[in-house]
Short mmCIF file of all heavy atoms in Angstrom, two decimals:
data_model
loop_
_atom_site.label_atom_id
_atom_site.label_comp_id
_atom_site.label_asym_id
_atom_site.label_seq_id
_atom_site.Cartn_x
_atom_site.Cartn_y
_atom_site.Cartn_z
N LEU A 1 -6.28 0.73 10.29
CA LEU A 1 -5.72 -0.54 11.08
C LEU A 1 -4.46 -0.17 11.83
O LEU A 1 -4.26 -0.53 12.93
CB LEU A 1 -5.60 -1.67 10.27
CG LEU A 1 -6.84 -2.37 9.56
CD1 LEU A 1 -6.43 -3.21 8.63
CD2 LEU A 1 -7.80 -2.84 10.75
N GLY A 2 -3.58 0.49 11.19
CA GLY A 2 -2.25 0.91 11.83
C GLY A 2 -2.41 1.87 12.90
O GLY A 2 -1.86 1.70 13.94
N ALA A 3 -3.52 2.79 12.73
CA ALA A 3 -3.73 3.87 13.82
C ALA A 3 -4.30 3.12 15.03
O ALA A 3 -4.21 3.56 16.15
CB ALA A 3 -4.63 4.86 13.26
N GLN A 4 -4.94 1.95 14.87
CA GLN A 4 -5.45 1.16 15.95
C GLN A 4 -4.43 0.21 16.63
O GLN A 4 -4.78 -0.58 17.47
CB GLN A 4 -6.78 0.40 15.47
CG GLN A 4 -7.91 1.16 15.12
CD GLN A 4 -9.17 0.43 14.72
OE1 GLN A 4 -9.11 -0.56 13.84
NE2 GLN A 4 -10.34 0.65 15.40
N GLY A 5 -3.29 0.29 16.06
CA GLY A 5 -2.22 -0.66 16.59
C GLY A 5 -2.26 -2.06 16.14
O GLY A 5 -1.41 -2.88 16.52
N GLU A 6 -3.09 -2.23 15.00
CA GLU A 6 -3.11 -3.70 14.35
C GLU A 6 -2.06 -3.65 13.27
O GLU A 6 -2.44 -3.76 12.14
CB GLU A 6 -4.57 -3.97 13.96
CG GLU A 6 -5.51 -4.02 15.14
CD GLU A 6 -6.80 -4.73 14.78
OE1 GLU A 6 -6.83 -5.33 13.72
OE2 GLU A 6 -7.80 -4.37 15.40
N PHE A 7 -0.80 -3.59 13.59
CA PHE A 7 0.35 -3.53 12.68
C PHE A 7 0.44 -4.63 11.73
O PHE A 7 0.69 -4.50 10.47
CB PHE A 7 1.60 -3.35 13.41
CG PHE A 7 1.59 -2.15 14.28
CD1 PHE A 7 1.98 -2.11 15.65
CD2 PHE A 7 1.20 -0.84 13.83
CE1 PHE A 7 1.92 -1.02 16.48
CE2 PHE A 7 1.21 0.36 14.56
CZ PHE A 7 1.54 0.15 15.86
N VAL A 8 0.14 -5.94 12.24
CA VAL A 8 0.36 -7.10 11.25
C VAL A 8 -0.78 -7.00 10.26
O VAL A 8 -0.42 -7.19 9.08
CB VAL A 8 0.22 -8.40 12.11
CG1 VAL A 8 0.24 -9.56 11.15
CG2 VAL A 8 1.41 -8.54 13.15
N ALA A 9 -1.93 -6.72 10.66
CA ALA A 9 -3.05 -6.73 9.63
C ALA A 9 -2.87 -5.46 8.77
O ALA A 9 -3.09 -5.65 7.47
CB ALA A 9 -4.41 -6.61 10.37
N ALA A 10 -2.43 -4.47 9.23
CA ALA A 10 -2.26 -3.22 8.38
C ALA A 10 -1.11 -3.47 7.37
O ALA A 10 -1.31 -3.15 6.15
CB ALA A 10 -1.89 -2.02 9.23
N ARG A 11 0.02 -4.09 7.91
CA ARG A 11 1.12 -4.37 7.02
C ARG A 11 0.72 -5.23 5.84
O ARG A 11 1.09 -5.01 4.71
CB ARG A 11 2.22 -4.89 7.83
CG ARG A 11 3.50 -5.03 6.94
CD ARG A 11 4.70 -5.65 7.72
NE ARG A 11 4.49 -7.02 8.02
CZ ARG A 11 4.23 -7.38 9.33
NH1 ARG A 11 4.30 -6.47 10.33
NH2 ARG A 11 4.07 -8.67 9.61
N GLU A 12 -0.02 -6.36 6.19
CA GLU A 12 -0.40 -7.31 5.25
C GLU A 12 -1.33 -6.68 4.21
O GLU A 12 -1.17 -6.98 2.95
CB GLU A 12 -1.16 -8.47 5.82
CG GLU A 12 -0.17 -9.26 6.79
CD GLU A 12 -0.80 -10.48 7.45
OE1 GLU A 12 -2.13 -10.52 7.49
OE2 GLU A 12 -0.16 -11.40 7.97
N LEU A 13 -2.19 -5.83 4.61
CA LEU A 13 -3.31 -5.19 3.57
C LEU A 13 -2.50 -4.17 2.85
O LEU A 13 -2.62 -4.09 1.52
CB LEU A 13 -4.34 -4.51 4.44
CG LEU A 13 -5.38 -3.90 3.62
CD1 LEU A 13 -6.15 -4.90 2.63
CD2 LEU A 13 -6.40 -3.21 4.49
N GLN A 14 -1.51 -3.38 3.40
CA GLN A 14 -0.84 -2.41 2.73
C GLN A 14 0.07 -2.89 1.68
O GLN A 14 0.39 -2.47 0.54
CB GLN A 14 -0.20 -1.43 3.71
CG GLN A 14 -1.19 -0.56 4.43
CD GLN A 14 -0.47 0.18 5.51
OE1 GLN A 14 0.43 -0.25 6.18
NE2 GLN A 14 -0.93 1.37 5.79
N GLN A 15 0.83 -4.10 2.08
CA GLN A 15 1.71 -4.80 1.12
C GLN A 15 0.88 -5.21 -0.03
O GLN A 15 1.41 -5.16 -1.17
CB GLN A 15 2.39 -5.87 1.82
CG GLN A 15 3.52 -5.44 2.76
CD GLN A 15 4.11 -6.57 3.55
OE1 GLN A 15 3.49 -7.51 3.70
NE2 GLN A 15 5.38 -6.35 4.00
N ARG A 16 -0.23 -5.72 0.17
CA ARG A 16 -1.05 -6.21 -0.89
C ARG A 16 -1.45 -5.08 -1.91
O ARG A 16 -1.43 -5.16 -3.20
CB ARG A 16 -2.35 -6.89 -0.47
CG ARG A 16 -3.35 -7.43 -1.50
CD ARG A 16 -4.53 -7.83 -0.93
NE ARG A 16 -5.56 -8.20 -1.91
CZ ARG A 16 -6.85 -8.55 -1.59
NH1 ARG A 16 -7.21 -8.69 -0.38
NH2 ARG A 16 -7.66 -8.72 -2.51
N VAL A 17 -1.85 -3.95 -1.22
CA VAL A 17 -2.23 -2.83 -2.10
C VAL A 17 -0.98 -2.31 -2.90
O VAL A 17 -1.27 -1.96 -4.04
CB VAL A 17 -2.78 -1.75 -1.09
CG1 VAL A 17 -2.96 -0.35 -1.90
CG2 VAL A 17 -4.11 -2.05 -0.54
N VAL A 18 0.12 -2.25 -2.22
CA VAL A 18 1.39 -1.77 -2.95
C VAL A 18 1.58 -2.64 -4.22
O VAL A 18 1.88 -2.22 -5.31
CB VAL A 18 2.53 -1.70 -2.08
CG1 VAL A 18 3.81 -1.52 -2.87
CG2 VAL A 18 2.48 -0.58 -1.05
N GLU A 19 1.51 -4.04 -4.04
CA GLU A 19 1.73 -4.87 -5.05
C GLU A 19 0.70 -4.76 -6.20
O GLU A 19 1.11 -4.77 -7.48
CB GLU A 19 1.77 -6.29 -4.46
CG GLU A 19 3.01 -6.69 -3.60
CD GLU A 19 2.74 -7.99 -2.98
OE1 GLU A 19 1.77 -8.64 -3.16
OE2 GLU A 19 3.69 -8.34 -2.13
N GLU A 20 -0.43 -4.65 -5.97
CA GLU A 20 -1.55 -4.46 -6.75
C GLU A 20 -1.42 -3.19 -7.63
O GLU A 20 -1.60 -3.12 -8.89
CB GLU A 20 -2.84 -4.64 -6.20
CG GLU A 20 -3.25 -6.00 -5.68
CD GLU A 20 -3.37 -7.11 -6.66
OE1 GLU A 20 -3.43 -6.75 -7.92
OE2 GLU A 20 -3.27 -8.23 -6.26
N MET A 21 -1.10 -2.05 -6.81
CA MET A 21 -0.97 -0.74 -7.61
C MET A 21 0.26 -0.82 -8.50
O MET A 21 0.23 -0.13 -9.62
CB MET A 21 -0.87 0.28 -6.54
CG MET A 21 -2.16 0.71 -5.76
SD MET A 21 -2.07 1.97 -4.70
CE MET A 21 -3.90 2.30 -4.49
N ARG A 22 1.32 -1.41 -8.07
CA ARG A 22 2.48 -1.48 -8.87
C ARG A 22 2.20 -2.33 -10.16
O ARG A 22 2.68 -1.90 -11.23
CB ARG A 22 3.67 -2.17 -8.06
CG ARG A 22 4.39 -1.25 -7.26
CD ARG A 22 5.47 -1.92 -6.40
NE ARG A 22 6.33 -1.02 -5.68
CZ ARG A 22 7.06 -1.42 -4.67
NH1 ARG A 22 7.18 -2.66 -4.32
NH2 ARG A 22 7.84 -0.47 -4.16
N ALA A 23 1.43 -3.29 -9.94
CA ALA A 23 0.98 -4.07 -11.07
C ALA A 23 0.07 -3.25 -12.20
O ALA A 23 0.10 -3.42 -13.36
CB ALA A 23 0.36 -5.36 -10.73
N LEU A 24 -0.72 -2.48 -11.54
CA LEU A 24 -1.77 -1.62 -12.38
C LEU A 24 -1.00 -0.35 -12.94
O LEU A 24 -1.26 -0.06 -14.28
CB LEU A 24 -2.97 -1.16 -11.55
CG LEU A 24 -3.95 -2.24 -11.17
CD1 LEU A 24 -4.92 -1.52 -10.26
CD2 LEU A 24 -4.72 -2.47 -12.48
N TRP A 25 -0.20 0.33 -12.17
CA TRP A 25 0.27 1.64 -12.73
C TRP A 25 1.75 1.77 -12.71
O TRP A 25 2.24 2.79 -13.18
CB TRP A 25 -0.27 2.71 -11.77
CG TRP A 25 -1.82 2.75 -11.66
CD1 TRP A 25 -2.66 2.80 -12.92
CD2 TRP A 25 -2.63 2.78 -10.66
NE1 TRP A 25 -3.94 2.87 -12.46
CE2 TRP A 25 -4.06 2.80 -11.09
CE3 TRP A 25 -2.45 2.82 -9.22
CZ2 TRP A 25 -5.13 2.77 -10.26
CZ3 TRP A 25 -3.62 2.79 -8.46
CH2 TRP A 25 -4.91 2.84 -8.93
N GLY A 26 2.45 0.79 -12.09
CA GLY A 26 3.90 1.01 -12.07
C GLY A 26 4.42 1.72 -10.78
O GLY A 26 3.59 2.04 -9.83
N ASP A 27 5.74 1.73 -10.64
CA ASP A 27 6.36 2.17 -9.40
C ASP A 27 6.30 3.65 -9.31
O ASP A 27 6.40 4.16 -8.15
CB ASP A 27 7.75 1.73 -9.35
CG ASP A 27 7.97 0.21 -9.27
OD1 ASP A 27 7.11 -0.48 -8.85
OD2 ASP A 27 9.04 -0.26 -9.62
N GLU A 28 5.99 4.30 -10.34
CA GLU A 28 6.12 5.93 -10.30
C GLU A 28 4.91 6.55 -10.39
O GLU A 28 4.71 7.80 -10.22
CB GLU A 28 7.01 6.35 -11.54
CG GLU A 28 8.35 5.81 -11.57
CD GLU A 28 9.27 6.42 -12.56
OE1 GLU A 28 8.74 7.06 -13.46
OE2 GLU A 28 10.50 6.22 -12.64
N ASP A 29 3.70 5.81 -10.32
CA ASP A 29 2.43 6.54 -10.23
C ASP A 29 2.20 7.04 -8.65
O ASP A 29 2.64 6.59 -7.82
CB ASP A 29 1.34 5.38 -10.59
CG ASP A 29 -0.02 6.09 -10.50
OD1 ASP A 29 -0.43 6.65 -11.46
OD2 ASP A 29 -0.77 6.09 -9.47
N ARG A 30 1.61 8.22 -8.75
CA ARG A 30 1.18 8.91 -7.49
C ARG A 30 0.55 7.97 -6.49
O ARG A 30 0.74 8.00 -5.27
CB ARG A 30 0.51 10.17 -7.66
CG ARG A 30 0.16 11.01 -6.60
CD ARG A 30 -0.55 12.30 -6.93
NE ARG A 30 -0.80 13.03 -5.68
CZ ARG A 30 -1.56 14.15 -5.82
NH1 ARG A 30 -2.21 14.56 -6.91
NH2 ARG A 30 -1.76 15.00 -4.59
N GLU A 31 -0.37 7.25 -6.92
CA GLU A 31 -1.18 6.33 -5.99
C GLU A 31 -0.23 5.31 -5.46
O GLU A 31 -0.37 4.84 -4.14
CB GLU A 31 -2.35 5.64 -6.72
CG GLU A 31 -3.52 6.69 -7.08
CD GLU A 31 -4.14 7.29 -5.96
OE1 GLU A 31 -4.12 6.78 -4.86
OE2 GLU A 31 -4.74 8.53 -6.18
N THR A 32 0.72 4.69 -6.17
CA THR A 32 1.74 3.73 -5.72
C THR A 32 2.53 4.36 -4.73
O THR A 32 2.74 3.83 -3.74
CB THR A 32 2.42 3.20 -7.00
OG1 THR A 32 1.64 2.57 -8.02
CG2 THR A 32 3.28 2.11 -6.41
N LEU A 33 3.06 5.49 -4.98
CA LEU A 33 3.86 6.17 -4.01
C LEU A 33 3.18 6.56 -2.72
O LEU A 33 3.79 6.20 -1.67
CB LEU A 33 4.31 7.52 -4.65
CG LEU A 33 5.23 7.44 -5.89
CD1 LEU A 33 5.54 8.85 -6.43
CD2 LEU A 33 6.65 6.69 -5.48
N ARG A 34 1.97 6.82 -2.74
CA ARG A 34 1.19 7.11 -1.58
C ARG A 34 0.95 5.82 -0.65
O ARG A 34 1.20 5.78 0.42
CB ARG A 34 -0.15 7.69 -1.86
CG ARG A 34 -0.14 9.05 -2.16
CD ARG A 34 -1.56 9.76 -2.52
NE ARG A 34 -1.51 11.08 -2.69
CZ ARG A 34 -2.66 11.80 -2.87
NH1 ARG A 34 -3.74 11.29 -3.02
NH2 ARG A 34 -2.59 13.04 -2.98
N ALA A 35 0.71 4.62 -1.54
CA ALA A 35 0.65 3.35 -0.74
C ALA A 35 1.96 2.90 -0.18
O ALA A 35 1.93 2.43 1.03
CB ALA A 35 0.13 2.44 -1.80
N VAL A 36 3.08 3.15 -0.83
CA VAL A 36 4.32 2.88 -0.20
C VAL A 36 4.53 3.67 0.94
O VAL A 36 5.12 3.10 2.01
CB VAL A 36 5.46 2.96 -1.29
CG1 VAL A 36 6.80 2.70 -0.66
CG2 VAL A 36 5.15 1.90 -2.45
N ASN A 37 4.30 4.97 0.98
CA ASN A 37 4.48 5.91 2.10
C ASN A 37 3.65 5.43 3.20
O ASN A 37 4.11 5.48 4.36
CB ASN A 37 3.98 7.22 1.68
CG ASN A 37 4.18 8.19 2.81
OD1 ASN A 37 5.30 8.64 3.08
ND2 ASN A 37 3.20 8.75 3.37
N ASN A 38 2.47 4.89 3.01
CA ASN A 38 1.67 4.45 4.09
C ASN A 38 2.28 3.14 4.66
O ASN A 38 2.06 2.97 5.88
CB ASN A 38 0.15 4.22 3.64
CG ASN A 38 -0.58 5.49 3.20
OD1 ASN A 38 -0.09 6.61 3.68
ND2 ASN A 38 -1.74 5.32 2.51
#
């Protein structure tokens, strides 16, 4: 979505993913770090 220029939709989805991954695995998990990077 971000690559298509749909930044609002991309940001909302990515923020949700970050929050859910933090809840599942914590701040230091590799998947969480990748989600934050994205």
Side-chain angles (χ1 to χ4, degrees):
L1 291 172
Q4 290 184 311
E6 297 192 24
F7 300 128
V8 174
R11 185 181 68 247
E12 290 177 351
L13 182 59
Q14 289 171 328
Q15 286 176 332
R16 175 184 173 188
V17 170
V18 167
E19 291 170 1
E20 294 294 344
M21 286 187 169
R22 281 175 170 165
L24 282 173
W25 299 309
D27 293 337
E28 298 185 350
D29 184 84
R30 185 179 178 186
E31 294 296 336
T32 303
L33 294 172
R34 286 182 170 182
V36 175
N37 180 73
N38 291 346

